[in-house]
Amino acid sequence: MGQLAIYARKSTESEDRQVLSIDSQIQELKEFAVHQGLGIPFVLTESKSAKSPGRPVFNSLMAKINKGELDTVLCWKLDRLARNPVDGGALIWAMEEKKLQTIYTPQNTFRNSGNDKFWMQMEFGMAKKYVDDLSDNTRRGLRTKLKQGWRPGQAPFGYLNDKEKKTIVRDPERFEIVRAMWDMMLSGLYTPHAIRKKAAEEWGLRQRPTRTSKGGPISPTTVYMIFTNPFYYGGILFDGELHKGAHEPMVTKDEFDRVQSILSSRSRQRPKRLAFTYSGIMTCGECGAAVTAENKYKLLRTTGTRKKYVYYHCTKHKPGIKCSQRVIEERELEQQVVAFLKSVTISKPFLTWALGLLQTFEDDERERDRKIAASLEKRIAGCQQEVSELLNMKLKSLISDGEYLRKKNELMNESVGLKQQLGNLLSSNGSGIRKCRQVFEFSESALRRFQSGSPETKRELLGQICSNWILRDKTVLISAQKPFGVIQSFLETPSGKSVRFEPGDFGLPQQENQTQKTSFYTNLRFLNDVRTAVRESLKGFKGC
């Protein structure tokens, strides 16, 4: 007998759950070798599944056999050597060519004979059949779980696996913090890196402890996965196919899509540092380059101390363009920002009148929502019917698997979005009116909050109201987002400047005063314009 080798293997996968550990296999096999007088073997070990070819240690074993360095193998069972036809065939062929003389197991001995090679094929075939059955059972279990709306495997960050009920629930320590991270991303004012830093350093967010880790700070990869995983809006993406989840969504489909748009635009931009209140939000009106900020210090002769000034200026990074724009001090810039905020600020009497009148609109909005809900339900049923028809076409081989998956994912995406819209609509109970109230309350209080707020608060507040900041000739031009642009336009009209309201008077004036009636209808049209703008462009408005 030539050189002898022990091969011991145990996979971390479920297929080897009942198999002895590698150390136990080695101990048992060494005792067997001594008892059988086989000599002192050298040992090869591997922790890898044998259901597919490509195991490094097994390949090394076969290389030694083919080179004539060993001709006898001792293993716990044949399925330790192979669970796939390629590796099993390699062993039988090596035996056929007389390079492999004997395979010993504590149960059997296999040599180069017709019967032994037949039984080897049988055992390798049974091992392969076991793996296939296990795989089929696992896939069937996964399909069942997905149909029930539950994601197989570990719950994403912010959720926990309920092992008793086999469901996925909120992580009480992390769910609300992760939702706050989404809010920061939706504001458009923070990079994922800045959000991760704030969550880790200020909110104390940590990874979940595991058997191998105590749970350190949240990683950049985890943050990216949070902002790109459909699970957070109620979907489950598994093997390239989107399924409807039964878990509690953290964000809406609309919010998820807006974050994907933000991430996409960010990937084409250099990250902006937020060291200054207005950095990263202005462009030069002459050359189109970014506007940056820097600190300057001036020595005060009267006190002998240095005073810090913040100046904003064009980066002048546009090739081939000589920009002539000068610097502007932050205090001067902020005065212009305050003037802009005054142009979108409504008075307290106006707020009282608007809130009172909005109360009378709730019945109309509920009826409108009822009709929208019926339309959504009809389209959802249509999506389900189309998925069913797609499956029939696939079964009849009228479309390819790739076409089926692509179209099904499109329909599932649409269906998930529609169901969330329907759910939001049914649970909103007049949220459109409430959102409109929030806009008016925000408009009335924005200037006060800005003047007393921190730089971070100022940026968040301006992010809700402003867009397209352009700095030219030391003048900043700011566009107001809807519906604040509607408010600004109205307040600049003669009607808006002279508007007067009597608190509690929310109806058409009874007296035959044409001026009062005209004023009332003008204000009412303005109110409806704001409501329309709210519905069209501020679904994600967070309010005060």
Side-chain angles (χ1 to χ4, degrees), residues 33 54 86 141 146 164 208 223 232 253 289 305 322 329 347 417 421 440 493 500 513 515 529 535:
V86 174
L146 286 167
E164 239 179 74
R208 286 182 301 212
V223 173
Y232 290 92
K253 181 65 167 54
T305 59
K322 187 175 181 180
E329 190 188 343
S347 66
Q421 287 182 45
F440 282 118
T493 65
R500 295 289 183 272
N513 186 318
T515 302
D529 287 345
R535 286 197 297 268

Side-chain angles (χ1 to χ4, degrees), residues 65-347:
I65 291 172
N66 289 322
K67 289 176 183 177
E69 295 177 9
L70 64 88
D71 62 5
T72 306
V73 176
L74 178 56
C75 62
W76 182 248
K77 287 182 67 176
L78 277 187
D79 66 5
R80 298 301 84 206
L81 286 169
R83 285 184 182 270
N84 68 82
V86 174
D87 292 341
L91 287 163
I92 293 172
W93 184 248
M95 195 169 276
E96 186 80 21
E97 291 192 316
K98 298 183 175 55
K99 293 180 179 179
L100 176 61
Q101 299 296 325
T102 312
I103 297 177
Y104 288 100
T105 74
Q107 302 82 21
N108 292 297
T109 300
F110 301 93
R111 292 188 173 88
N112 187 19
S113 69
N115 282 340
D116 285 355
K117 286 184 286 187
F118 171 77
W119 287 113
M120 284 176 66
Q121 288 177 330
M122 288 289 291
E123 286 205 31
F124 287 141
M126 290 171 64
K128 173 62 175 167
K129 179 70 164 59
Y130 174 80
V131 170
D132 290 345
D133 288 346
L134 187 65
S135 179
D136 289 343
N137 291 337
T138 301
R139 282 197 296 267
R140 184 163 53 249
L142 293 178
R143 286 196 300 269
T144 300
K145 195 165 188 178
L146 286 167
K147 284 180 181 177
Q148 293 171 348
W150 300 111
R151 180 185 187 273
Q154 186 177 9
F157 195 81
Y159 292 85
L160 291 174
N161 295 93
D162 187 331
K163 295 180 179 178
E164 239 179 74
K165 298 180 180 178
K166 308 292 185 186
T167 60
I168 294 178
V169 297
R170 283 178 173 226
D171 182 340
E173 294 182 18
R174 297 172 180 83
F175 187 92
E176 294 300 337
I177 297 178
V178 177
R179 172 63 233 201
M181 292 169 65
W182 278 93
D183 288 335
M184 290 181 69
M185 196 69 205
L186 284 162
S187 73
L189 302 175
Y190 301 91
T191 64
H193 173 74
I195 294 172
R196 171 181 170 267
K197 185 176 180 182
K198 187 178 184 69
E201 296 179 2
E202 298 183 25
W203 301 340
L205 186 62
R206 293 291 182 270
Q207 301 274 14
R208 286 182 301 212
T210 63
R211 286 179 297 180
T212 58
S213 170
K214 293 182 180 179
I218 185 171
S219 67
T221 302
T222 301
V223 173
Y224 178 78
M225 290 176 67
I226 286 172
F227 291 139
T228 57
N229 191 344
F231 186 90
Y232 290 92
Y233 74 77
I236 301 173
L237 189 63
F238 193 82
D239 280 348
E241 189 171 352
L242 190 67
H243 304 265
K244 174 72 172 73
H247 59 278
E248 176 187 358
M250 185 179 291
V251 299
T252 66
K253 181 65 167 54
D254 177 66
E255 288 173 328
F256 179 85
D257 288 341
R258 283 193 288 126
V259 166
Q260 304 321 296
S261 177
I262 292 170
L263 288 172
S264 176
S265 63
R266 284 269 168 86
S267 69
R268 298 189 294 270
Q269 300 174 1
R270 295 180 63 186
K272 300 179 178 63
R273 300 187 65 182
L274 305 181
F276 300 93
T277 305
Y278 306 103
S279 63
I281 59 178
M282 289 182 287
T283 56
C284 175
E286 181 176 334
C287 70
V291 171
T292 188
E294 61 179 304
N295 293 318
K296 294 285 186 181
Y297 296 89
K298 183 177 181 181
L299 181 64
L300 301 178
R301 295 180 181 178
T302 54
T303 60
T305 59
R306 292 198 312 163
K307 185 175 180 180
K308 183 176 79 171
Y309 295 87
V310 178
Y311 288 95
Y312 290 81
H313 60 84
C314 175
T315 57
K316 303 186 179 181
H317 284 169
K318 288 287 185 177
I321 300 178
K322 187 175 181 180
C323 186
S324 63
Q325 292 298 304
R326 296 180 298 162
V327 301
I328 179 173
E329 190 188 343
E330 186 172 72
R331 284 183 300 179
E332 185 180 348
L333 175 65
E334 193 152 288
Q335 288 173 359
Q336 296 182 47
V337 174
V338 168
F340 166 79
L341 288 174
K342 287 180 179 178
S343 74
V344 295
T345 299
I346 61 173
S347 66

Side-chain angles (χ1 to χ4, degrees), residues 402-449:
E403 289 174 312
Y404 168 75
L405 273 178
R406 181 182 58 78
K407 186 59 180 174
K408 187 196 172 194
N409 285 350
E410 289 177 4
L411 289 168
M412 288 299 298
N413 241 327
E414 182 182 358
S415 180
V416 168
L418 291 171
K419 285 179 180 178
Q420 283 202 348
Q421 287 182 45
L422 179 60
N424 293 339
L425 196 65
L426 295 176
S427 63
S428 65
N429 192 23
S431 65
I433 296 295
R434 287 198 299 274
K435 191 76 74 175
C436 203
R437 288 195 189 104
Q438 286 181 329
V439 167
F440 282 118
E441 288 168 349
F442 190 94
S443 176
E444 192 273 334
S445 66
L447 180 58
R448 293 195 306 274
R449 293 174 59 214

